[in-house]
Amino acid sequence: MLIDIIAGARPNFMKVAPIIHEIKKRQSLGSSIEFRLVHTGQHYDKKMSDDFFDQLNIPHPDVNLESGSGTQAEQTAKIMVRYEQLLMEKPCEITLVVGDVTSTMACSIAAKKLNIRVAHVEAGIRSFDLSMPEEINRMVTDSITDYFFITSETARENLLKAGVDSGKIYFVGNTMIDTLLKNRSRFQQPEVWNELNLSPKGYLVMTMHRPANVDAEHKLKEFMFKILDHSGDLSIIFPIHPRTAKVFDRIGLFHDRLHLTEPMSYLEFNYLVENAMAVITDSGGITEETTVMGIPCLTLRDNTERPETCEIGTNELIGTDPLNIPPALERLLSGNWRKGEIPALWDGKTSPRIVDVLEQI
Ligand code: UD1
């Protein structure tokens, strides 16, 4: 059975890595399961893509669709046309997509229209915020998915409410956490550690890239002022996404405690996170990693598709009003933050559970 594994953008790479490693392991034990790794090219910079392949030991993609940047529709269209062409030349039996990026949706549509079955890893999560492109990607993908691999019971409830047959839902856990736990002992101190003389719990890590937060210059400035004014003497390390970097270039904000770096590799970024006092972010995946590492996380969003990171883990939704930042930081600095626990099945063994199912179908 040939399975296409689709990877397009940075948050996909850590989700496909352990599935690929598990399939290879089974192959070496005689399993007939085969895969073809398809990189859509949505993320193409070395620091957004190649470094992750190298560090996570992901094999070179069998196919690169080289779709590159563009508007949502342009990217979707390019990926669909190119993936459809590949499938017409050499079809697979199952297309396995992960997460919620444009590539996830585009490849599932192209596959399903050719009557190829779709498996979705991280299915069923919902922010119920249709202003996020990711929410539309999740809804569309799940509406044509055949096998739903889920990370939480909430995801199951969402899918059942949408009318999905319970027999198609597999609660397997979280592949991103497989990658985190496997690589935890390999985390690498980034150069910035010595350059800034950082010490454990002596700094904050920040990431921001959501269009709603970063595209308006005044909003981003307001966030930064509030964070800088209320973080005591902590350094703030901000590995900056290309979208956000463009806005920072325009606003020209400098501060002696704010340190912007290029996007970091996986092992370096998570070294910083594991040793940080806290993380401030608008990412979804990072809230899962901080939950597992027990690091306080302040999320600058009004909603989350990962409620377990708040209900069980260390994440708090601070919202998108910069005025909410000072009280949250005061609470953090006074040591008053929930310790959190680890959600069910986020145990590093999700990929074997997924491949078990794939072998049965
Ligand atoms: C995408 C995902 C988002 C994910 C994020 C992580 C969608 C809808 N969004 O958003 O869920 O959290 O990736 O990074 O799929 N760019 C580069 N180099 C690259 C890639 C992009 O410079 O390697 C630039 C693009 O030209 C564009 C901007 O970054 O200006 C945004 O890239 P895009 O892929 O459109 O979406 P992200 O914001 O990265």
Side-chain angles (χ1 to χ4, degrees):
M1 177 172 71
L2 178 65
I3 300 177
D4 270 0
I5 298 182
I6 310 294
R10 187 170 58 177
N12 284 170
F13 306 140
M14 40 290 227
K15 293 172 193 167
V16 300
I19 301 174
I20 291 171
H21 297 149
E22 184 61 27
I23 293 180
K24 287 187 141 204
K25 190 170 139 195
R26 306 270 173 124
Q27 285 173 336
S28 71
L29 297 171
S31 168
S32 61
I33 191 165
E34 280 183 81
F35 73 92
R36 174 171 64 181
L37 177 57
V38 180
H39 192 323
T40 65
Q42 181 181 342
H43 281 178
Y44 45 83
D45 281 355
K46 183 175 179 305
K47 288 192 179 301
M48 302 288 285
S49 176
D50 301 13
D51 287 356
F52 287 78
F53 275 68
D54 293 344
Q55 289 199 334
L56 301 178
N57 200 17
I58 305 173
H60 198 71
D62 297 294
V63 181
N64 192 323
L65 302 178
E66 293 178 347
S67 61
S69 297
T71 65
Q72 293 288 317
E74 282 166 349
Q75 257 181 353
T76 307
K78 262 193 275 183
I79 299 168
M80 280 179 68
V81 169
R82 291 175 191 191
Y83 186 49
E84 181 187 57
Q85 211 165 5
L86 173 71
L87 288 176
M88 290 198 296
E89 282 160 19
K90 188 175 179 212
C92 63
E93 279 155 78
I94 292 182
T95 293
L96 181 141
V97 294
V98 300
D100 55 17
V101 302
T102 301
S103 306
T104 310
M105 176 184 75
C107 290
S108 30
I109 297 175
K112 196 65 194 170
K113 288 203 169 209
L114 291 173
N115 288 323
I116 291 168
R117 289 170 289 165
V118 173
H120 184 199
V121 172
E122 203 186 86
I125 61 175
R126 295 287 184 273
S127 66
F128 303 103
D129 174 0
L130 273 103
S131 70
M132 293 171 68
E134 292 82 358
E135 183 69 358
I136 299 169
N137 296 340
R138 290 180 200 118
M139 291 167 67
V140 174
T141 303
D142 283 343
S143 71
I144 51 174
T145 287
D146 297 278
Y147 307 106
F148 299 81
F149 293 108
I150 59 169
T151 50
S152 68
E153 285 297 343
T154 313
R156 188 198 303 278
E157 283 163 29
N158 292 335
L159 290 171
L160 292 176
K161 270 187 213 151
V164 171
D165 173 355
S166 62
K168 293 177 167 181
I169 303 173
Y170 302 89
F171 182 22
V172 288
N174 193 326
T175 58
M176 203 168 177
I177 303 306
D178 284 12
T179 296
L180 185 79
L181 297 179
K182 181 171 176 195
N183 289 288
R184 205 167 179 180
S185 60
R186 300 173 61 224
F187 290 167
Q188 290 170 3
Q189 202 175 74
E191 274 177 19
V192 70
W193 187 274
N194 286 331
E195 278 166 20
L196 299 177
N197 205 11
L198 296 178
S199 57
K201 310 294 167 207
Y203 61 92
L204 301 172
V205 175
M206 222 184 128
T207 82
M208 278 232 262
H209 72 278
R210 298 228 172 258
N213 279 343
V214 303
D215 284 358
E217 295 172 21
H218 70 277
K219 185 88 181 275
L220 183 58
K221 254 188 190 166
E222 203 48 41
F223 275 132
M224 295 313 304
F225 287 148
K226 286 282 182 279
I227 291 167
L228 287 162
D229 284 351
H230 295 272
S231 49
D233 56 5
L234 293 170
S235 296
I236 296 164
I237 319 299
F238 190 166
I240 198 158
H241 185 283
R243 173 193 287 278
T244 318
K246 286 179 199 157
V247 187
F248 254 88
D249 280 349
R250 292 201 298 272
I251 59 182
L253 175 70
F254 300 97
H255 190 285
D256 57 355
R257 283 189 295 109
L258 175 64
H259 307 282
L260 303 182
T261 76
E262 292 205 322
M264 260 183 216
S265 69
Y266 181 81
L267 298 176
E268 290 177 320
F269 180 72
N270 281 295
Y271 182 97
L272 270 193
V273 170
E274 191 176 30
N275 288 288
M277 168 171 254
V279 174
I280 304 176
T281 190
D282 61 6
S283 154
I286 292 172
T287 68
E288 298 182 339
E289 292 167 333
T290 47
T291 279
V292 169
M293 291 194 275
I295 304 297
C297 184
L298 291 73
T299 293
L300 303 180
R301 288 175 53 189
D302 294 314
N303 48 56
T304 175
E305 60 288 336
R306 295 163 163 92
E308 62 282 359
T309 62
C310 298
E311 288 154 12
I312 304 173
T314 52
N315 184 26
E316 258 190 50
L317 286 184
I318 305 303
T320 51
D321 182 348
L323 290 175
N324 295 341
I325 290 175
L329 282 177
E330 274 156 32
R331 215 153 29 80
L332 174 76
L333 294 185
S334 65
N336 193 5
W337 204 268
R338 227 185 26 262
K339 296 281 173 278
E341 285 171 28
I342 297 178
L345 298 189
W346 292 19
D347 57 0
K349 296 175 189 146
T350 294
S351 306
R353 290 191 278 263
I354 290 175
V355 181
D356 280 347
V357 176
L358 292 174
E359 283 193 314
Q360 281 160 25
I361 55 183

